[in-house]
Amino acid sequence: MTGRAKTQVSIVIDRKPDEVFAYLADVQKHGEWSPKAYRVEGVDGPVQLGTRFTSWGWVPKDADHRNDVEVTAFDPPRRIEFTGREKGEDFRNVYVLTTHDGGTRIDRTLDFPKPDGFGGVVFPLFLAGFIKPATNKGMKMLKAKLES
């Protein structure tokens, strides 16, 4: 892998930061707002710094992909970070929460390795055409779930 790629999506949710953070920290609930099938094993209830668990979800060419994850930042109600490690590389999901007009703004950053070779050439198209739209969809589903 050569270098890293990042993309960020933001959304405002009409709930207080502590409520949004508590929901994000309960990783068993992440499947409720994932655009694709997603489940978590190895943890019950909310996580804390250093918590490790296994997630299973869809990635291209693998509908039930295993990911070993660790909570690598935990600062309620401001920031939570999940880091998966695969083939010696880190894949990070960072959520930064701020108060915004009586609700909560979430800035979600995906930070992951860029592929080598031809995959690296077409990766910007994959990032713009698939990863960012799927992440936006998930964030809209999170908003709908928390505001319902």
Side-chain angles (χ1 to χ4, degrees), residues 1 6 9 20 24 26 33 38 43 46 51-52 68 70 78 89 98 108 128 141 146:
M1 303 277 175
K6 289 185 181 182
V9 296
V20 175
L24 289 172
D26 191 348
W33 53 275
Y38 181 86
V43 66
T51 298
R52 294 175 185 259
D68 295 315
E70 180 178 357
R78 292 175 287 281
E89 298 281 354
T98 53
R108 180 181 180 187
M141 291 171 68
L146 283 170

Side-chain angles (χ1 to χ4, degrees), residues 23 54 128:
Y23 189 79
T54 302

